[in-house]
Amino acid sequence: GQQLNQSPQSMFIQEGEDVSMNCTSSSIFNTWLWYKQDPGEGPVLLIALYKAGELTSNGRLTAQFGITRKDSFLNISASIPSDVGIYFCASSRGGKLIFGQGTELSVKP
Amino acid sequence: GAVVSQHPSWVICKSGTSVKIECRSLDFQATTMFWYRQFPKQSLMLMATSNEGSKATYEQGVEKDKFLINHASLTLSTLTVTSAHPEDSSFYICSASMGGQGGETQYFGPGTRLLVL
């Protein structure tokens, strides 16, 4: 089936470090979305990408829609403790979202 | 913008009772609303998709008579867990999309934690 392979599964970093995570697929997608989920909360949309090659920033976050339309990455610069959470990539197919497995980020002060 | 609310945020009920969860889009009209279920440390599992005024489309393996979905308006969808049992305990999250360009983007509610005793 259609899957989004998200890596890494978890990351343990020091405050101030930069973070990079990515999603890949064997299928072509027209949308890439990045969400963050805090414990006990619903996912919050961080960045939405709609065009191949698109590079979009949201504060310390930067995401890119791969030129092949089969991948996307999310970078977080100068991490802070509140960046802790689970990050999901997602894309749309047939009106539904397909999610990656999530990247759990831990930030040590 | 694009705020989605859910009520209640948590509920504890006895086995056999029914529980209703509301999902509202506060500042936009949602052409489509979605209901998800999430187990600890796992990704979101889509349960059903609903469009205003029409019957919900359920994913394979989701019992439509168990999880009743009503989408009465462009800003409100409800999920009723009927005759709840302990195995229905979970985190239920709704989302809404507004259609149009970029309409596949879904905005999520804060979730409802259900505990069935």
Side-chain angles (χ1 to χ4, degrees):
Chain A
Q2 296 155 5
Q3 285 188 324
L4 301 184
N5 300 307
Q6 186 172 349
S7 65
Q9 189 173 358
S10 61
M11 301 182 76
F12 298 85
I13 62 169
Q14 198 78 30
E15 182 178 0
E17 290 183 356
D18 296 343
V19 172
S20 185
M21 58 192 79
N22 69 82
C23 266
T24 61
S25 174
S26 57
S27 302
I28 290 174
F29 288 99
N30 294 321
T31 305
W32 283 95
L33 307 169
W34 285 93
Y35 291 91
K36 183 195 178 198
Q37 186 176 26
D38 290 330
E41 299 287 333
V44 173
L45 181 67
L46 299 174
I47 294 178
L49 303 163
Y50 300 110
K51 194 185 296 185
E54 181 180 356
L55 181 71
T56 298
S57 292
N58 177 8
R60 292 178 297 105
L61 278 61
T62 302
Q64 184 158 31
F65 191 147
I67 198 71
T68 64
R69 292 162 63 193
K70 293 183 178 181
D71 63 331
S72 176
F73 71 76
L74 174 70
N75 287 343
I76 305 173
S77 63
S79 59
I80 59 177
S82 62
D83 290 334
V84 165
I86 300 178
Y87 292 79
F88 290 102
C89 63
S91 194
S92 179
R93 179 79 75 194
K96 302 176 188 177
L97 285 186
I98 303 167
F99 288 90
Q101 303 94 326
T103 295
E104 185 170 9
L105 179 63
S106 301
V107 180
K108 186 177 179 181
Chain B
V3 179
V4 176
S5 71
Q6 270 182 254
H7 179 80
S9 55
W10 58 271
V11 58
I12 302 173
C13 69
K14 291 183 179 179
S15 186
T17 61
S18 293
V19 174
K20 181 187 282 189
I21 303 170
E22 289 188 352
C23 177
R24 293 181 186 270
S25 55
L26 298 184
D27 53 0
F28 67 100
Q29 291 189 325
T31 56
T32 309
M33 286 185 164
F34 305 82
W35 287 96
Y36 293 83
R37 186 173 179 175
Q38 187 178 34
F39 294 103
K41 299 289 187 181
Q42 293 188 20
S43 190
L44 286 75
M45 183 186 80
L46 180 65
M47 299 174 67
T49 303
S50 74
N51 293 289
E52 182 257 343
S54 60
K55 288 186 179 180
T57 302
Y58 290 82
E59 294 299 298
Q60 192 172 9
V62 178
E63 300 175 60
K64 61 181 181 181
D65 296 328
K66 172 78 172 174
F67 300 99
L68 300 179
I69 292 172
N70 183 281
H71 194 156
S73 75
L74 283 172
T75 59
L76 173 64
S77 177
T78 60
L79 168 69
T80 301
V81 183
T82 62
S83 187
H85 287 95
E87 59 265 28
D88 298 324
S89 299
S90 191
F91 191 49
Y92 293 88
I93 311 173
C94 73
S95 71
S97 62
M98 56 180 79
Q101 188 177 9
E104 60 272 22
T105 301
Q106 293 181 24
Y107 300 92
F108 288 85
T112 297
R113 187 160 301 282
L114 170 64
L115 177 61
V116 184
L117 302 176

